[in-house]
Amino acid sequence: MSDENTAPDNPNTAMTYKQAGVDIDAGERLVEMIKPLAAATRRPGADAALGGFGGLFDLKAAGFSDPVLVSATDGVGTKLRLAIELGIHHTVGIDLVAMCVNDLVVQGAEPLFFLDYFATGKLAPEIAAQVVQGIAEGCRQAGCALVGGETAEMPGMYAAGDYDLAGFSVGAVERSDILPKNTIAPGDILIGLGSSGIHSNGFSLVRHILTTHGIALTAAAPFAPAVPLGEALLTPTRIYVNSCLAAIKTGGVKALAHITGGGLTENLPRILPSGLAAEIDLAAWDLPPIFSWLKQLGQIADAELLKTFNCGIGMIAVTAPDRVEETLNSFESAGEQAHVIGRLTDTKSAPQVIYRGALQDN
């Protein structure tokens, strides 16, 4: 005899959406739980109210006169796998926001508002609320409003306990302030801003290394013994919005590059005009211990490390030689660890990164 909980529904009885695995009431409970979180992200131009069909934003109220809108979308990648396995859900929302708003600010744009997409097989409102708690914190750090989102409960699409995230953000920049500037030239200086760790790229390789060596996420982190490894790996992506906007206002920033998937090798050329290369002095900063550990454990070559991870540099600014000190002071005053890490030079090939020296283990 079949167990009562696993027996098929009688086809001759009335059926409900909840029987099919979708609990609308749970979704409504989640909305009520996250309304205060969204309300805490209010900013000029948005009231951050949830419940409508779309989020409204008033550019005039935000103080723009000739704005160009900039949009970005991203996810957290397989870093989510670690969060789900460890049951730590309140930080990946910060990652989600960071991956979008850091991409906006490199265009010179101020992030205005953010929306999220949360998908799961069976909605657990308490877990989803923790995720949104992180999203709201990320929005607070970036100064943008959480104006809405979508929660999708899709039975059969995800394994029990799994969920996925996507984020969408819109910013604005005055037309005259769009980055990169067309004044980028040979001799310009590269300033690197320190990262908070791995950020949200390269986790498929991280997980492969851990699996190969049989290392548990609950073990003490070899590079930070007082912290469990999983928690250390989940350190949220640093949000550079406020420090970059402040530096941009000084007039010294010609371009910015967000170091995400592809590392320094692939991301820096994206902002360089034809005929320019970036020369990076790898001895200009110390490789953070987490990357030194991964490098040794995975026997990762420097070239692979630099093409996969941020290696301790999460954002790069381009400035003229006579604006270096001013730009460094601006970043440091905003709480960044800023280093001169290289310069721009002529090249006869496509924009590229040329490395000098070797990564320095901390």
Side-chain angles (χ1 to χ4, degrees):
M1 180 180 292
S2 299
D3 184 86
E4 182 180 6
N5 293 326
T6 59
D9 293 323
N10 186 335
N12 296 317
T13 60
M15 297 183 183
T16 66
Y17 208 5
K18 189 172 184 178
Q19 285 178 320
V22 179
D23 189 345
I24 294 177
D25 292 336
E28 291 299 323
R29 289 199 303 274
L30 174 61
V31 170
E32 292 303 312
M33 293 169 71
I34 65 179
K35 277 184 177 179
L37 299 173
T41 68
R42 288 190 180 99
R43 55 150 294 154
D47 63 10
L50 296 185
F53 287 95
L56 303 178
F57 194 93
D58 185 348
L59 281 170
K60 185 176 180 180
F64 289 90
S65 57
D66 184 23
V68 173
L69 294 179
V70 185
S71 59
T73 183
D74 212 331
V76 182
T78 58
K79 189 174 187 177
L80 274 183
R81 186 76 259 152
L82 276 65
I84 293 169
E85 290 178 7
L86 290 166
I88 299 175
H89 308 286
H90 66 283
T91 59
V92 287
I94 300 175
D95 289 294
L96 185 67
V97 175
M99 295 301 290
C100 294
V101 298
N102 286 342
D103 278 355
L104 294 182
V105 79
V106 299
Q107 307 277 175
E110 174 189 345
L112 302 176
F113 58 88
F114 189 89
L115 300 98
D116 68 278
Y117 175 80
F118 179 98
T120 186
K122 182 174 177 56
L123 180 62
E126 293 75 16
I127 291 176
Q130 291 177 50
V131 173
V132 177
Q133 175 188 346
I135 293 172
E137 171 59 21
C139 288
R140 187 195 65 78
Q141 291 182 26
C144 65
L146 176 59
V147 298
E150 172 70 9
T151 301
E153 189 174 27
M154 299 185 288
M157 288 291 291
Y158 297 89
D162 282 1
Y163 59 86
D164 199 9
L165 291 176
F168 313 86
S169 191
V170 173
V173 56
E174 297 290 0
R175 194 177 305 272
S176 60
D177 296 332
I178 295 173
L179 297 181
K181 298 291 188 181
N182 59 13
T183 56
I184 298 175
D188 282 347
I189 302 301
L190 302 174
I191 295 175
L193 306 184
S195 69
S196 56
I198 300 176
H199 286 182
S200 296
N201 300 104
F203 273 89
S204 293
L205 177 55
V206 173
R207 292 170 53 242
H208 178 66
I209 291 171
L210 298 183
T211 300
T212 300
H213 289 272
I215 299 174
L217 294 172
T218 53
F223 49 87
V227 181
L229 176 59
E231 288 187 27
L233 292 173
L234 285 176
T235 300
T237 304
R238 187 166 182 82
I239 293 176
Y240 297 98
V241 169
N242 292 331
S243 61
C244 285
L245 288 177
I248 289 169
K249 288 179 181 178
T250 69
V253 176
K254 294 185 177 185
L256 291 164
H258 183 201
I259 309 305
T260 55
L264 281 76
T265 304
E266 299 293 336
N267 284 288
L268 196 45
R270 296 168 65 182
I271 63 168
L272 299 180
S274 178
L276 286 183
E279 286 191 357
I280 301 291
D281 176 11
L282 295 178
W285 77 96
D286 290 333
L287 188 67
I290 189 170
F291 296 109
S292 298
W293 176 69
L294 287 169
K295 175 184 174 181
Q296 179 180 6
L297 195 64
Q299 301 181 57
I300 307 172
D302 281 2
E304 182 70 15
L305 206 70
L306 290 159
K307 195 175 181 178
T308 305
F309 301 108
N310 65 62
C311 294
I313 301 295
M315 184 75 76
I316 295 176
V318 179
T319 188
D322 62 350
R323 305 298 293 271
V324 171
E325 185 174 353
E326 174 189 13
T327 306
L328 280 171
N329 288 340
S330 177
F331 281 125
E332 290 170 352
S333 296
E336 302 292 356
Q337 293 183 340
H339 321 268
V340 171
I341 64 169
R343 60 190 291 273
L344 298 185
T345 186
D346 291 307
T347 182
K348 294 181 180 180
S349 58
Q352 59 183 298
V353 177
I354 301 168
Y355 295 112
R356 307 296 186 193
L359 289 168
Q360 307 296 304
D361 290 334
N362 191 339

